[in-house]
Amino acid sequence: MLEKLQLHLNTNFPFLKGKRLFLAVSGGMDSMVLLQLFHQLNYEIAVLHCNFSLRNLESDGDEDFVKYYCEENQIPLFVQKFDTKQFAEDAKVSIQVAARKLRYDWFYEQLADKNFDYILTAHHLDDSLETFLINLTRGTGLEGLTGIPAQNDKIIRPLLPFSRVEIENYMQENNLQWREDSSNASDKYFRNKVRHAIVPVLKELNPNLLSSFQNTVENLQQAQSLVEDATKLVFQIVVQEETNQLKFNLIELLKLPNYSAYLYQWLKDFGFTAWEDIYDLVTAQSGKQVFSETHILLKNRDLLILYAKEIHSDKEEYFIPKELQEVKVPLKISFCNKNDISNTNSNCIFVDEELLQFPLTIRKWQEGDYFYPLGMQGKKKLSKYFKDEKMSLIDKSNQWLLCSDNQIVWVIGRRQDERFKITEITNHKLQIKLY
């Protein structure tokens, strides 16, 4: 097994040589084999051990066992104890989800704090098969059927080509000790039911199940690669990327016979779950929206617009005293006195400073707001102005106003107010410029 692992590392992970590696070690058979193998291969390693405090004295025994092994072999060890049950209760998640989040959050903290390069875990081929079956049972896309990835960012799983039987044989041949997790025998957890009840039956039906599974996963991974390539190519045709949003051209999108599959690939990383609502949005009336925890997808005429939820409150106000020459929040705006007013545009206006009441304020627009558009007679509601300008919901929700005593001086970046314009009797001309 040592030689097979060395060949696997040289072929698929040559970049690990000379790197500082954390090994995630629970004390169980799989992780102890991982530790033994990498210790023999003379990589620069250290051990991370999580005590989740879920099995009382048994959890503490695992920690002591790993500590003893590392001390005997002079391997650096870092241990973290968690109150997993309390965290799961506070976060309203399952114990398994809580343990996973606590573990990986701590792993990445250690990478940064200790200046290590990668974290190695002991997932193996049987684990990958179980994950495949779990995802298949619950329902998944192609990505969920490609097994456990060999690398995910800084997490690397070098034992994926090895079966549980190979690992067990290595333990016995080398007389290695390990700790047995009593929860592995319980069928309380879904993964254990798959491991104990389903996999043995499949292996009985096909003694070469793991080999067949490896071939299947390789084929599915190749298919997934084709999907990703096609998704990237079509993205360039359909999607326009802007600073704070993505715009999906529905005219181009609807030319695709499987447009919903493309939408899924493009949007799956933004936290959406209501996929049928998203697919219906394509033909819905303008103004309809679908929400995830972090993003909004809006139908606006011939576009779907994706943007992050606004982090500013509509009630926020930013005050600008008279002596201030520049603000940077929420927008970068400069104020200076100038006589030359030839450079007026939507991002640069000139006002009569003597008509202003300081401090000025910058705030979001609100229902009922009105102003006197420069060059027009009379006042106009902002909502009507936005409609005439054909502004999307996103543009409206992101619109800031510059105000003097709550009178609108400037719909920032769009239209100045008539009441504050430069006239023949103006003595002090103030340039206000948006960057």
Side-chain angles (χ1 to χ4, degrees), residues 45-259:
I45 62 172
V47 167
L48 297 178
H49 176 78
C50 298
N51 184 337
F52 294 107
S53 307
L54 293 172
R55 293 174 287 114
N56 302 319
L57 293 177
E58 189 178 334
S59 293
D60 294 336
D62 294 345
E63 179 181 326
D64 292 339
F65 174 76
V66 174
K67 281 182 178 177
Y68 177 79
Y69 183 94
C70 290
E71 288 172 0
E72 285 288 300
N73 292 276
Q74 299 182 324
I75 300 172
L77 169 67
F78 302 93
V79 176
Q80 180 66 41
K81 197 165 189 173
F82 298 107
D83 188 345
T84 311
K85 288 181 180 177
Q86 187 62 53
F87 179 85
E89 184 178 325
D90 293 342
K92 295 181 173 55
V93 295
S94 68
I95 291 293
Q96 296 94 322
V97 170
R100 177 180 175 80
K101 177 165 178 55
L102 289 169
R103 175 170 64 247
Y104 283 104
D105 284 353
W106 182 61
F107 283 176
Y108 276 98
E109 287 174 9
Q110 294 305 298
L111 275 181
D113 291 345
K114 306 298 187 302
N115 198 28
F116 270 61
D117 298 296
Y118 295 97
I119 296 169
L120 276 54
T121 70
H123 293 93
H124 50 74
L125 186 56
D126 288 74
D127 291 326
S128 189
L129 173 62
E130 291 163 10
T131 298
F132 172 90
L133 293 171
I134 290 169
N135 290 341
L136 180 66
T137 303
R138 291 173 173 168
T140 185
L142 180 59
E143 195 171 355
L145 299 177
T146 55
I148 299 175
Q151 180 175 0
N152 187 3
D153 191 24
K154 296 292 185 178
I155 307 295
I156 293 178
R157 304 173 179 93
L159 297 188
L160 278 181
F162 299 92
S163 68
R164 181 176 283 116
V165 170
E166 287 178 281
I167 291 171
E168 289 173 349
N169 290 339
Y170 181 84
M171 290 292 287
Q172 294 169 2
E173 291 167 3
N174 292 273
N175 296 315
L176 299 180
Q177 300 297 310
W178 73 91
R179 294 275 297 179
E180 189 62 53
D181 185 339
S182 61
S183 65
N184 287 337
S186 170
D187 282 344
K188 179 174 68 173
Y189 302 114
F190 188 37
R191 180 175 289 273
N192 285 356
K193 289 181 180 179
V194 171
R195 180 178 301 164
H196 299 148
I198 298 175
V199 173
V201 174
L202 294 176
K203 287 183 176 179
E204 182 180 340
L205 292 171
N206 179 9
N208 297 315
L209 176 66
L210 288 177
S211 177
S212 299
F213 170 66
Q214 273 187 309
N215 292 334
T216 298
V217 165
E218 288 175 6
N219 293 333
L220 290 172
Q221 288 173 345
Q222 290 177 8
Q224 178 66 20
S225 179
L226 290 175
V227 168
E228 291 172 357
D229 290 344
T231 300
K232 290 175 183 176
L233 289 172
V234 177
F235 183 91
Q236 297 172 11
I237 300 170
V238 174
V239 186
Q240 177 184 345
E241 296 183 83
E242 298 187 359
T243 305
N244 298 314
Q245 55 191 240
L246 297 178
K247 293 184 176 179
F248 301 83
N249 186 320
L250 293 180
I251 295 174
E252 294 295 333
L253 181 70
L254 289 171
K255 292 177 182 178
L256 305 170
N258 298 311
Y259 68 82

Side-chain angles (χ1 to χ4, degrees), residues 335-352:
F335 302 83
C336 68
N337 293 105
K338 279 192 175 183
N339 288 320
D340 180 7
I341 62 172
S342 61
N343 194 30
T344 303
N345 56 57
S346 61
N347 287 329
C348 180
I349 66 169
F350 288 84
V351 298
D352 187 331

